[in-house]
Amino acid sequence: MDFRKKYEDFFETVHPSYMDEERFVPSVGPEDADVVFIGEAPGANEVEQGEPFVGRAGERMNDILRDIDVERGDIYITNLVKIRPPDNRDPKKEEIEAWAPLLQQELEDVDPEMIVTLGNFPSKHVLDTGKGISKIHGRIFTREGQKIMPVYHPAAALYDRSKGPELEKDLRKAFGKEESGQKKFTDF
Ligand code: URA
């Protein structure tokens, strides 16, 4: 997908103070994906490689996807803010607002069955809530026919190991791959 070309209307109108070619990372994945992942904003590795979630947080995410038998290539992966905030600071409200119309357009175009928001910033934005991720992760919300599940950000699972199993459990649920806790008859 030629992301810049597809969304050239947006890029022609975005205020120049919110766009920086040197720090921009496009979304990746099938344009008709069943599942969309929304991260916060790219980091240094993402800018270097021109793809979301290719640094340490991305590796953690890939490990979990592998464990639950989901192909990363089947997921459309985007970020709330598509340029890397300087010094890895949190995205500002006005940056989120500047990039919001593009995210909205992407969600309309891909029209997935499930939107997974990774961490506080995209979860609060997409669900329009002030509630923190620890209160809402793993719950399925429905808005205009689309399911939305907030989950912990994979970077949080790196810093706090207890969050890894929670993230895995929530992603299993998002992909309908929950463990029953009981072995199937055929397993014996
Ligand atoms: N963290 C994010 O939120 N997005 C990325 O693309 C990489 C790390």
Side-chain angles (χ1 to χ4, degrees), residues 45-62:
N45 290 297
E46 285 73 24
V47 172
E48 208 173 286
Q49 296 182 49
E51 182 172 336
F53 286 102
V54 290
R56 283 187 65 216
E59 277 170 23
R60 187 73 186 88
M61 188 176 93
N62 292 347

Side-chain angles (χ1 to χ4, degrees), residues 25 38-43 46 51-55 57-58 77-79 118 153 155:
V25 176
I38 308 175
E40 183 178 308
E46 285 73 24
E51 182 172 336
F53 286 102
V54 290
I77 307 176
T78 184
N79 276 305
L118 299 130
H153 194 284

Side-chain angles (χ1 to χ4, degrees), residues 117-129 133 136 150-151:
T117 52
L118 299 130
N120 258 317
F121 282 91
S123 302
K124 285 182 171 175
H125 173 79
V126 173
L127 291 168
D128 196 17
T129 179
I133 192 70
I136 56 173
V151 302

Side-chain angles (χ1 to χ4, degrees), residues 176-188:
K177 288 177 177 266
E178 285 165 291
E179 286 171 318
S180 68
Q182 235 177 1
K183 273 186 179 281
K184 284 196 220 107
F185 183 65
T186 49
D187 290 341
F188 290 98

